[in-house]
Amino acid sequence: MSDVVEKTLTALPALFDSQTGAAKITNRLRQLIKSITELTSKHEEENLIKQELSAMKEQVSSPNTTMKQMREIMVRAMYCEMLGYDASFTYIHAIKLAQQGGVLEKRVGYLAVSLFLNEGHELLLLLVNTVLKDLQSTNLIEACMALTVVAQVFPKDMIPAVLPLVEDKLSHPKEIIRRKAVLALYKFYLIAPNQVQHIHAKFRKALCDKDPGVMTSSLHIYLQLIRESPDSYKDLTGSFVTILKQVVGGKLPLDFNYHSVPAPWLQIQLLRILSLLGKEDQSTSELMYEVLDESLRRAEMNHNITYAILYECVKAVYTIHPKAELLEKAARCIGNFVLSPKINLKYLGLKALTYVVQHDAKLALQHQMTIIECLDHSDFTIKRETLELLFRITNAQNVTVIIEKMLDFLRSCNDEHTIIHLVGKVAELAEKFAPDNSWFIQTMNDVFSIGGDLLQQDVPNNFLRLLAEGSESKEEDDQLRLYAVDSYLTVLKGHTSHLPQCFLQVMSWVLGEYAHLQESVDQREVIQFLTQLLDQRSVSSETRVWILSALTKISEGQTDLILDLAESLSSSQDTVLRQQAQELRHLSQDSQLHEWALPRGAPWDSIEVAGLIVFPYYDNSSTLILEGVKRVWGKDGYLPQKEATAPLVDEPSAAVQPPGQHEAAERIESRPEPSTQNQDKQQLASSLFVGLGVGSSMSLLGKSEAPPPCFRKKPRPHESPSSSSSSSGTSERSSDSSSRNTTDSFLYGSLLEEEPATAISAFDHTPKSTTANGLAQNKDTKEDRRANTSQILGGDMVIVRPSTIQDKHPPSVSSDLTALLPADLKDLPHSDVISLTSDPSLSLSSCRLFRDEALLLVIFISNCTETVIKDVSVQLTCEELKTVSLRGNVVDCLEARSTSVCHYALLMDDPHTNVSFTGTVSYQTQPGHTNTLPFSGTLSTADFIRPLVVTTEEYGKLWLSLSHDVKQNLKLLTDAGDPLRTTLNALKDALQLHVVDIIGSEGIVACRLLSGAPCLLHCRVNGTALAMWLRSPHPALPDCILYHCQRALTHH
């Protein structure tokens, strides 16, 4: 028995204290309490309570029992009920005690009724007349007792009978009556809001009551009202602010203080109300900035109740329209909580951080190492709340790492509630951010295995509906289904006795529906696997029905196996199995009936599924039927697609790094190399917190926002064209578009008009027919390119086009060829034209154009003869690069002494110091005679580097989110007055870097790879050398950039 229960039960005899005018507790009750508290086993307690209940039953049925004895019996009965034993024979006597006794008897009777009965209990009807009588009583105690019962267990149907009397009590001269009347009306509003709509004006009167207790009681009603309709109560913001100011200022009586904190629970209520009123409303929020600041300042005592106030303050600050100063203070408060060695405060900090990251995900970066440590914390609740925090910051880039952490936690978790809660979140994230089919199916297999039969029915239903309805691409749907079939067949080949029934049901359904798609698997093998499941003793009757349903679907053409199975099940004691066995027999013998009853490949939105699995379906009127299914998907996808975004705050960006950050940078520079354990933690942090950097590191990595859910819902036939078009704008998914990132989509849309003929993973392009000769105009303007570039890098990231490019390739041989560039490319920075190869008929030259979003490799094809050359085709191959578009690679006719232009848009996903490309040009000088001219060339990482413009503050935050680093001393250019500035400018010109800031003997530089990966450089003068520290999310990028920095300074 817990201490709380023991203390509560021990306090019950106070009801008979002499101060109330009653006699002292009897020996019988005293002995009962003493005996129960001294018991050593549950069995002994049960025997004692049974004896006590038998004695009480005899007493209550005796006509000689007095009111005093009945009062004692009720207390003893309450004692027994609170311990979990049934004393229902005393319920009617409790009501009689409230009806017939004096004040003390009424008190015990009302208390017993409120503990024994619930709102729907039929015996409460016997109490209505007694409550009406006591509400009209002039005795203050009787009126209070009646209001207390009304506020606790009064039936909903009887509210109209007592509502007028409760309303009258709002104007009672005694504040205790007014307070209890407000609480009774609050209960009425919760269970029957329509019945108290007409008295909202009286709620406002209670808010302005001169007694603080009445005013505090009214806040419960207003909190509920404002949650439902905040706009209707904006005019009360000033009143709530004034009340909170008075409370914080200690204007209330000292009776409201708790450990010297003025009315802490009242402060919490007011903070919750203000956060609701100020949400997304700047003018209303401005009224509460001052009082929130004051609340944060005053609630700095080291006591649990002040921590609760600070927690509510932080939530309010991040909910209302943001103010930079308040956000900074709230963030500091969260940091104090998270870093606290006390488990309760650390949990509170994680709880606050979990709420805050929905509004400002970057705040998690400041505490990423602490969060990593919390994942391995010994306290179960700390681990669980940390995973909840990670769930809030999940995106397409870190989903695999976070789900792996969740699954590891679940494998060692024994708490059923936690398992149910977390496996649902894992399934949600898997459907929303799955990187590929194999990962998605394997993750869902883990969900079914770990969650087992504890899973909410929504999880398997949503998964099976996803497979059934598919998306807009039949090819991708079949790939997903095929992988699911292969995965489940692999599972069934092993031991299946330990698998949960839910998982077996899912596998059975999938194999029954889609096993035919796998042509390499014999259907007889699938039937044998399912038949083996039927023979297992651990398989439940419900799962056997699922398995038989699957066998029925794939029984066509397998009559011999099916008949044997149907014969063995025909004598089953389960009537459902016998029925399905007969259905299986008939369908396997009649192919036409089988095709009619179970059409293969029929659209799921036209089939009513009335069997074991409950799916939404459409009736004849095209009305969606959703019986038994929780709708957690919308027209744009199965799960919510929009991640919480932080409200924009205009924060001043300093030109130089603040002193605190500068000192921190020095400490980072001077500290020793991290241990292997710290490196592992940093590596884990870089994986968990990717996508949360400045302006979102997703933007820095070339993605303007998190991708939509991987698996999308197929449009319904009855959807309107407008809704379909709007949905397709956000949910269109085809086989090639699924593999493109945001940068690729931008390049297809604005860089060139043509798209590659093959997949863009590695380019090895085959010739394709085209009418373009390489000289057509690009329709995109520079403004469009700049707008799209801003989309890629985020609104606060600006790409600077380099002013000069130093060529590291062979000298120019035909620089006049640059005049042949298309008009939309002539203004771009470019290298000199170099010769690639030549023969008597053709001459090939090339140059590199440096576009903001890609490197353009331009190939000039010159006809050196006096005759026409036909069917010219260029083919380029390079495994290390990715081509996102090409143009002019096929020319039908190349006139004498003319030149055609072909250009490729290239990206480098994985950095390489230098890469070589090869290619061939095929052409015909005579009909039927094809000549081939091979060529080759070299590109470097420097060609794919672009400046990344960030502020000093943004640089500092991004630096903390990157883990892969390299350190090296380089040559310092000392032939000028400022060696550091001269050296950085040389690197800027050679490698297209952006110098963020120079502070004394230190400089910070930023750049990015065209694929989106950023790289930050921290440079410091160290004697006659330049100490350079490079960081990037990509492990190979710092080394490549360091190599080119060394090369540039050596050749300067």
Side-chain angles (χ1 to χ4, degrees):
M1 185 165 50
S2 68
D3 292 341
V4 176
V5 176
E6 183 175 342
K7 291 177 181 179
T8 304
L9 298 177
T10 306
L12 279 175
L15 289 170
F16 297 91
D17 194 272
S18 58
Q19 295 178 358
T20 63
K24 287 288 186 179
I25 182 171
T26 63
N27 291 332
R28 188 68 178 270
L29 182 57
R30 186 189 302 275
Q31 186 61 37
L32 173 63
I33 297 173
K34 183 179 179 181
S35 300
I36 291 179
T37 55
E38 292 177 353
L39 292 177
T40 59
S41 68
K42 184 68 175 176
H43 180 68
E44 293 177 358
E45 178 186 296
E46 291 177 354
N47 291 335
L48 177 63
I49 297 298
K50 286 181 180 179
Q51 295 175 9
E52 190 66 28
L53 291 175
S54 299
M56 285 191 291
K57 187 176 294 186
E58 293 179 3
Q59 284 185 287
V60 297
S61 60
S62 173
N64 300 323
T65 303
T66 64
M67 283 294 177
K68 178 181 176 181
Q69 292 173 333
M70 189 64 71
R71 186 178 67 208
E72 182 197 358
I73 292 172
M74 286 301 110
V75 177
R76 288 156 57 195
M78 285 188 281
Y79 207 149
C80 296
E81 283 269 340
M82 292 173 67
L83 291 176
Y85 298 93
D86 181 26
S88 57
F89 62 89
T90 61
Y91 293 176
I92 187 64
H93 298 284
I95 293 178
K96 290 180 179 179
L97 197 62
Q99 292 173 337
Q100 302 172 4
V103 173
L104 189 57
E105 285 74 21
K106 277 184 176 290
R107 182 184 180 189
V108 176
Y110 275 131
L111 177 61
V113 168
S114 62
L115 291 176
F116 290 160
L117 308 182
N118 56 53
E119 296 172 358
H121 203 285
E122 56 186 8
L123 290 180
L124 277 180
L125 295 177
L126 303 176
L127 196 64
V128 173
N129 288 333
T130 304
V131 171
L132 288 173
K133 182 182 69 173
D134 290 340
L135 283 176
Q136 301 176 52
S137 174
T138 56
N139 188 315
L140 186 65
I141 297 178
E142 291 181 352
C144 286
M145 289 188 294
L147 287 171
T148 301
V149 171
V150 165
Q152 289 181 346
V153 294
F154 209 68
K156 178 180 177 180
D157 296 338
M158 295 293 105
I159 289 179
V162 299
L163 183 57
L165 296 175
V166 176
E167 288 184 52
D168 293 340
K169 299 301 180 183
L170 292 175
S171 56
H172 197 278
K174 292 294 184 179
E175 58 275 3
I176 187 173
I177 298 294
R178 299 200 300 273
R179 183 168 67 247
K180 289 184 176 292
V182 171
L183 293 176
L185 291 174
Y186 171 59
K187 179 59 179 294
F188 291 169
Y189 181 80
L190 292 178
I191 62 177
N194 295 332
Q195 298 189 26
V196 294
Q197 291 290 340
H198 63 286
I199 57 174
H200 281 194
K202 295 184 179 180
F203 294 160
R204 298 198 175 214
K205 183 179 178 181
L207 181 64
C208 302
D209 196 281
K210 61 182 180 180
D211 182 73
V214 179
M215 178 269 297
T216 303
S217 301
S218 68
L219 293 182
H220 295 285
I221 299 177
Y222 275 106
L223 180 60
Q224 190 67 27
L225 292 172
I226 293 172
R227 278 176 180 163
E228 298 171 358
S229 179
D231 293 337
S232 303
Y233 301 93
K234 298 280 188 181
D235 57 316
L236 292 177
T237 304
S239 300
F240 292 124
V241 170
T242 302
I243 295 172
L244 183 56
K245 284 182 179 179
Q246 294 177 358
V247 174
V248 174
K251 304 297 184 182
L252 294 186
L254 294 179
D255 295 341
F256 287 86
N257 288 7
Y258 178 77
H259 286 273
S260 302
V261 180
W265 288 277
L266 178 56
Q267 290 191 52
I268 291 173
Q269 286 282 77
L270 288 168
L271 288 170
R272 291 174 178 173
I273 289 174
L274 291 179
S275 64
L276 294 172
L277 292 173
K279 186 177 181 180
E280 300 178 355
D281 189 334
Q282 182 175 357
S283 59
T284 304
S285 299
E286 290 173 352
L287 299 176
M288 57 187 76
Y289 287 155
E290 181 182 353
V291 71
L292 289 176
D293 190 13
E294 184 69 10
S295 296
L296 282 172
R297 185 182 65 83
R298 287 180 177 267
E300 293 180 354
M301 297 172 55
N302 291 326
H303 194 276
N304 286 340
I305 195 62
T306 59
Y307 300 146
I309 295 174
L310 285 174
Y311 174 72
E312 292 298 335
C313 282
V314 168
K315 291 180 63 177
V317 167
Y318 275 93
T319 302
I320 66 174
H321 187 81
K323 183 182 180 183
E325 182 181 354
L326 283 176
L327 292 175
E328 181 181 354
K329 292 183 179 180
R332 192 182 309 121
C333 178
I334 293 177
N336 293 336
F337 284 155
V338 173
L339 298 175
S340 174
K342 298 180 180 179
I343 293 181
N344 288 340
L345 293 187
K346 188 180 289 290
Y347 176 81
L348 191 64
L350 290 172
K351 197 78 174 176
L353 196 56
T354 302
Y355 177 81
V356 166
V357 292
Q358 302 177 63
H359 306 274
D360 183 9
K362 294 182 294 183
L363 190 61
L365 289 175
Q366 302 177 19
H367 308 288
Q368 50 183 314
M369 298 312 297
T370 304
I371 295 172
I372 296 299
E373 294 174 356
C374 289
L375 283 174
D376 299 324
H377 201 280
S378 58
D379 189 88
F380 174 81
T381 56
I382 296 294
K383 287 183 180 180
R384 184 179 60 192
E385 191 59 36
T386 304
L387 292 176
E388 182 70 25
L389 169 61
L390 294 178
F391 170 77
R392 302 286 182 180
I393 62 173
T394 304
N395 53 55
Q397 296 168 269
N398 60 13
V399 62
T400 56
V401 182
I402 289 179
I403 284 187
E404 180 183 355
K405 290 295 178 183
M406 288 183 171
L407 292 175
D408 289 343
F409 175 79
L410 284 170
R411 291 186 180 100
S412 59
C413 178
N414 296 321
D415 182 64
E416 292 187 1
H417 174 76
T418 302
I419 293 176
I420 295 172
H421 179 70
L422 271 186
V423 293
K425 291 186 177 299
V426 171
E428 180 180 343
L429 294 178
E431 291 187 14
K432 189 174 184 182
F433 296 116
D436 52 59
N437 290 340
S438 61
W439 182 90
F440 174 68
I441 295 298
Q442 185 58 48
T443 301
M444 293 306 298
N445 289 352
D446 292 336
V447 167
F448 295 133
S449 299
I450 297 173
D453 298 324
L454 298 176
L455 282 174
Q456 297 288 343
Q457 195 58 39
D458 292 337
V459 176
N461 277 0
N462 290 345
F463 174 71
L464 295 182
R465 174 170 180 164
L466 175 64
L467 291 175
E469 290 191 339
S471 63
E472 298 173 358
S473 173
K474 185 178 185 302
E475 179 182 354
E476 290 191 3
D477 294 340
D478 289 343
Q479 290 177 357
L480 178 63
R481 294 160 180 166
L482 275 173
Y483 193 89
V485 170
D486 293 338
S487 175
Y488 296 154
L489 288 176
T490 303
V491 172
L492 291 178
K493 289 178 182 178
H495 296 288
T496 57
S497 58
H498 66 285
L499 295 178
Q501 301 301 309
C502 176
F503 194 12
L504 294 177
Q505 293 167 9
V506 169
M507 287 193 291
S508 302
W509 188 90
V510 172
L511 292 176
E513 291 292 333
Y514 306 116
H516 68 276
L517 296 177
Q518 185 55 273
E519 298 177 355
S520 61
V521 176
D522 188 0
Q523 296 297 304
R524 297 177 66 89
E525 182 181 0
V526 179
I527 293 176
Q528 290 174 357
F529 283 139
L530 294 176
T531 305
Q532 291 174 3
L533 285 181
L534 281 176
D535 297 335
Q536 292 183 6
R537 292 184 178 182
S538 58
V539 176
S540 66
S541 298
E542 182 183 2
T543 304
R544 294 177 191 274
V545 174
W546 285 71
I547 297 172
L548 278 176
S549 298
L551 288 170
T552 305
K553 297 171 187 175
I554 60 177
S555 61
E556 188 176 7
Q558 310 295 334
T559 308
D560 52 343
L561 291 176
I562 297 301
L563 289 178
D564 293 341
L565 177 62
E567 183 66 27
S568 62
L569 293 175
S570 60
S571 58
S572 173
Q573 295 181 356
D574 192 320
T575 56
V576 176
L577 290 180
R578 291 203 306 273
Q579 177 184 342
Q580 283 204 302
Q582 293 301 320
E583 294 174 357
L584 182 60
R585 183 198 304 273
H586 289 294
L587 288 174
S588 62
Q589 294 175 339
D590 192 338
S591 58
Q592 293 184 350
L593 178 62
H594 189 284
E595 180 65 24
W596 178 84
L598 299 171
R600 182 170 292 178
W604 279 93
D605 54 8
S606 61
I607 298 178
E608 292 187 6
V609 184
L612 295 169
I613 177 169
V614 186
F615 278 131
Y617 60 90
Y618 289 83
D619 58 13
N620 295 332
S621 61
S622 298
T623 302
L624 182 62
I625 307 300
L626 287 166
E627 293 180 357
V629 179
K630 178 181 177 183
R631 187 173 178 82
V632 295
W633 45 80
K635 68 176 182 178
D636 293 335
Y638 284 96
L639 294 166
Q641 303 167 37
K642 296 183 179 180
E643 294 179 326
T645 56
L648 299 178
V649 182
D650 296 331
E651 298 182 3
S653 58
V656 296
Q657 190 175 11
Q661 295 184 12
H662 178 56
E663 295 173 1
E666 291 182 348
R667 289 195 298 270
I668 292 174
E669 180 66 27
S670 61
R671 70 185 180 185
E673 291 292 332
S675 63
T676 304
Q677 183 179 5
N678 289 338
Q679 288 179 352
D680 293 341
K681 290 183 178 180
Q682 291 177 358
Q683 177 67 27
L684 179 58
S686 66
S687 302
L688 289 176
F689 299 97
V690 63
L692 305 180
V694 180
S696 169
S697 67
M698 288 183 288
S699 297
L700 293 173
L701 294 174
K703 299 181 180 181
S704 58
E705 58 185 49
C710 179
F711 305 105
R712 293 193 174 278
K713 180 180 171 184
K714 186 185 298 182
R716 293 294 189 185
H718 67 281
E719 286 183 352
S720 63
S722 60
S723 65
S724 298
S725 62
S726 64
S727 174
S728 63
T730 57
S731 63
E732 184 178 359
R733 185 170 70 99
S734 62
S735 59
D736 12 313
S737 65
S738 64
S739 60
R740 301 176 190 164
N741 58 22
T742 309
T743 307
D744 300 336
S745 302
F746 163 65
L747 290 170
Y748 283 125
S750 64
L751 184 61
L752 299 169
E753 295 176 358
E754 299 178 66
E755 298 185 13
T758 59
I760 63 177
S761 56
F763 74 80
D764 183 2
H765 297 280
T766 55
K768 65 176 183 179
S769 177
T770 178
T771 58
N773 60 4
L775 300 176
Q777 296 288 333
N778 189 343
K779 297 181 181 180
D780 285 347
T781 63
K782 297 179 181 178
E783 289 75 15
D784 292 335
R785 291 198 298 270
R786 282 196 292 269
N788 285 325
T789 302
S790 177
Q791 277 188 334
I792 295 176
L793 291 184
D796 55 351
M797 301 299 174
V798 181
I799 298 177
V800 177
R801 183 177 299 163
S803 57
T804 60
I805 304 296
Q806 293 189 0
D807 188 22
K808 306 297 180 185
H809 290 262
S812 170
V813 295
S814 181
S815 58
D816 293 340
L817 289 175
T818 56
L820 300 177
L821 290 172
D824 59 327
L825 302 181
K826 286 184 178 180
D827 295 335
L828 296 177
H830 60 81
S831 67
D832 294 332
V833 179
I834 60 173
S835 175
L836 291 178
T837 188
S838 63
D839 65 5
S841 301
L842 287 182
S843 174
L844 298 184
S845 303
S846 72
C847 74
R848 290 159 288 127
L849 272 64
F850 303 92
R851 209 162 189 172
D852 292 341
E853 65 277 356
L855 173 71
L856 295 187
L857 179 63
V858 180
I859 300 177
F860 300 95
I861 311 168
S862 300
N863 185 352
C864 303
T865 67
E866 300 295 336
T867 60
V868 176
I869 297 179
K870 296 184 178 181
D871 298 332
V872 179
S873 176
V874 181
Q875 182 175 352
L876 188 70
T877 303
C878 182
E879 295 181 356
E880 292 84 2
L881 299 179
K882 179 169 65 176
T883 190
V884 289
S885 57
L886 70 157
R887 189 171 177 184
N889 66 319
V890 176
V891 181
D892 294 334
C893 182
L894 185 61
E895 300 294 336
R897 299 294 177 182
S898 65
T899 300
S900 179
V901 179
C902 165
H903 49 83
Y904 288 78
L906 306 177
L907 290 178
M908 178 184 287
D909 283 341
D910 297 322
H912 299 272
T913 304
N914 293 292
V915 294
S916 299
F917 62 86
T918 59
T920 58
V921 178
S922 60
Y923 62 94
Q924 290 187 4
T925 53
Q926 299 176 2
H929 181 69
T930 301
N931 299 308
T932 301
L933 178 63
F935 64 90
S936 63
T938 302
L939 299 172
S940 70
T941 307
D943 296 323
F944 297 89
I945 294 297
R946 298 292 182 269
L948 178 62
V949 177
V950 293
T951 64
T952 303
E953 181 183 1
E954 293 166 341
Y955 180 98
K957 294 180 180 179
L958 182 58
W959 178 272
L960 296 176
S961 67
L962 306 179
S963 60
H964 300 290
D965 56 359
V966 173
K967 297 179 182 179
Q968 184 70 40
N969 288 335
L970 303 182
K971 174 185 176 182
L972 184 66
L973 303 179
T974 57
D975 53 353
D978 190 346
L980 178 60
R981 191 175 297 274
T982 302
T983 305
L984 294 184
N985 286 336
L987 294 175
K988 171 185 175 182
D989 295 337
L991 301 177
Q992 305 185 51
L993 308 179
H994 170 62
V995 179
V996 180
D997 203 356
I998 297 177
I999 309 170
S1001 62
E1002 297 186 23
I1004 52 178
V1005 183
C1007 64
R1008 67 178 182 94
L1009 196 64
L1010 278 177
S1011 62
C1015 185
L1016 305 184
L1017 296 80
H1018 178 270
C1019 308
R1020 179 172 56 87
V1021 176
N1022 184 16
T1024 58
L1026 181 68
M1028 182 174 290
W1029 189 359
L1030 301 90
R1031 274 195 174 186
S1032 173
H1034 201 294
L1037 185 56
D1039 288 318
C1040 293
I1041 294 180
L1042 181 62
Y1043 168 81
H1044 289 288
C1045 288
Q1046 291 174 323
R1047 190 168 182 269
L1049 294 177
T1050 302
H1051 292 81
H1052 188 274

